Amino acid sequence: MEFSLQQLKQFDGSDASKPIYVAVKGRVFDVSTGKSFYGPGGPYCIFSGKDASRALAKMSKNEEDVCASLDGLTEKEMGVLNDWEKKFEAKYPVIGRVV
């Protein structure tokens, strides 16, 4: 499935009848099984319904970092992002891409 960033926002956990999605490097993961983390009030709910690549790379929960932009990231931050991507791959199914 392909998602625009606008469509992805619908899967932020605010509607209990819909799954919760987080995108990492443009790939959309269904993180519904991690609802306690990504659902409303969870410690990582800020990432839900968004591409969280930059925030994950920077280990940041700042709203301005929750975006797909990898511009200006250091080699170390890219390594951190790649580690996060592997964790997501091991734990959650990929259900689409952000276009």
Side-chain angles (χ1 to χ4, degrees):
M1 292 187 351
E2 293 187 338
F3 297 87
S4 68
L5 286 174
Q6 196 61 40
Q7 290 168 317
L8 189 61
K9 285 181 186 175
Q10 298 171 36
F11 301 93
D12 65 358
S14 59
D15 181 342
S17 70
K18 292 183 178 176
I20 302 171
Y21 297 159
V22 173
V24 179
K25 290 167 64 175
R27 293 196 302 160
V28 180
F29 293 85
D30 182 340
V31 299
S32 301
T33 57
K35 188 176 182 175
S36 60
F37 295 104
Y38 299 101
Y44 302 114
C45 65
I46 192 169
F47 302 151
S48 299
K50 300 177 184 139
D51 188 314
S53 299
R54 185 174 196 81
L56 291 169
K58 296 175 87 52
M59 300 290 283
S60 167
K61 287 191 193 174
N62 295 329
E63 187 75 48
E64 66 271 12
D65 289 327
V66 184
C67 66
S69 173
L70 305 180
D71 293 345
L73 292 178
T74 65
E75 200 172 308
K76 183 178 179 189
E77 288 168 335
M78 285 304 297
V80 169
L81 177 56
N82 291 336
D83 289 346
W84 274 110
E85 186 179 27
K86 285 184 186 91
K87 285 180 181 130
F88 273 78
E89 287 170 345
K91 225 173 172 178
Y92 306 113
V94 176
I95 54 94
R97 291 196 64 78
V98 176
V99 291

